[in-house]
Amino acid sequence: MAEISEPYAQGTPCWVDLMAADQQAAIDYYSDLLGWNGEVGPPEFGGYAICELRGKPVAGIGAAMSMDGAPPPPTAWTTYLAVDDIQETAAKVNANGGTLLVPPMQVGEQGHMLVCADPSGAVVGAWQRIEFFGAQRVNEAGALVWNELNTRDLDKALPFYEAVFGVSFESMPEMPAYRGMLAHGRVVGGAQPIPDDAPAEMPAHWLTYFAVDDADSVVAAAVHARSTLLMPAFDMSAGRMAVIQDPQGGIFAVLKSSM
């Protein structure tokens, strides 16, 4: 278990959020599945909900909104990496083959954010804190435990993250195709190639992992709640995991760590 009380270092995953067509249904679903408490937030922040686990923020859930008459974006989890300067980050996104999807904006007195796509198409956010630095519980049941880039072009994507966020990547001895993402010398996330046998329509993406006490029971509860099981629970080097699609389409993983 880990309660975080200090700001995250540059390049470290610091927050995740979900934009859903039915915000209240999403809040209810994840509260039931992972033990969160959350409610629709104030209108000046678009109703954005800060979900908590035992009194500490762990993730956000907002209402997906259409822009300029376009249909709302699909329900999806977004990983945010901590940055020291949001404007400098935006300039580096543009200079290194990325695409700004949400330009830098200030979120009240909480912080500054942007959302971009890397050169391989994976969507990722950046967060510069003011008063809010991100998740305050991690690595315990119901909280964020891992963030992972999945892409068909690591050679294109990884230099982008190195240049924009100041991270580095190294091969993991137990999984040669896997890359650990390091911030200030500490492994804070991962990256791997999308398998050749994956569906052709699977885009590059960041996958959010939540820790659980029992992967199989959480999978059973998720299926009972009309979720789609994309990857049944299986054992791997870090523990027992599964990949789930929530009833609105948001994809996430659960992990019972063996560490």
Side-chain angles (χ1 to χ4, degrees):
M1 296 187 294
E3 184 172 321
I4 307 299
S5 58
E6 297 182 354
Y8 290 86
Q10 167 86 23
T12 306
C14 64
W15 189 243
V16 292
D17 68 16
L18 179 79
M19 293 294 128
D22 188 333
Q23 181 190 20
Q24 187 60 59
I27 293 171
D28 294 342
Y29 172 86
Y30 286 96
S31 295
D32 290 344
L33 194 69
L34 298 175
W36 297 351
N37 293 309
E39 58 184 34
V40 176
E44 59 265 32
F45 294 109
Y48 189 87
I50 301 291
C51 297
E52 297 183 342
L53 178 68
R54 295 191 292 111
K56 298 293 184 179
V58 291
I61 296 179
M65 295 178 286
S66 60
M67 303 289 286
D68 299 323
T75 299
W77 281 98
T78 299
T79 291
Y80 291 81
L81 306 182
V83 298
D84 297 327
D85 187 323
I86 202 75
Q87 296 295 338
E88 179 181 331
T89 301
K92 289 181 177 180
V93 167
N94 289 327
N96 288 278
T99 304
L100 280 175
L101 303 176
V102 178
M105 61 180 290
Q106 183 166 340
V107 184
E109 293 305 311
Q110 301 304 304
H112 305 266
M113 63 162 286
L114 64 75
V115 178
C116 66
D118 72 28
S120 73
V123 174
V124 68
W127 179 258
Q128 178 192 341
R129 69 178 179 92
I130 300 178
E131 295 180 354
F132 182 75
F133 60 78
Q136 294 178 29
R137 286 197 192 282
V138 298
N139 303 335
E140 63 178 87
L144 183 67
V145 67
W146 192 245
N147 302 80
E148 176 185 271
L149 171 67
N150 293 264
T151 175
R152 288 185 171 84
D153 197 338
L154 286 175
D155 290 339
K156 182 183 290 185
L158 300 193
F160 171 84
Y161 291 95
E162 292 171 343
V164 176
F165 295 100
V167 297
S168 61
F169 294 87
E170 65 178 17
S171 296
M172 306 295 279
E174 65 277 14
M175 295 184 293
Y178 203 89
R179 304 288 189 274
M181 184 175 82
L182 287 74
H184 293 265
R186 185 171 70 90
V187 177
V188 296
Q192 66 177 349
I194 293 175
D196 293 337
D197 59 356
E201 63 272 16
M202 179 184 288
H205 62 280
W206 278 83
L207 182 62
T208 295
Y209 287 68
F210 295 111
V212 295
D213 285 329
D214 185 329
D216 295 276
S217 64
V218 171
V219 164
V223 171
H224 182 73
R226 305 185 311 281
S227 308
T228 301
L229 186 57
L230 300 180
M231 187 177 292
F234 68 98
D235 295 316
M236 38 83 83
S237 59
R240 188 164 178 81
M241 68 166 286
V243 180
I244 299 166
Q245 185 173 43
D246 72 32
Q248 298 189 61
I251 295 173
F252 63 101
V254 295
L255 174 66
K256 165 59 177 175
S257 176
S258 60
M259 304 299 182

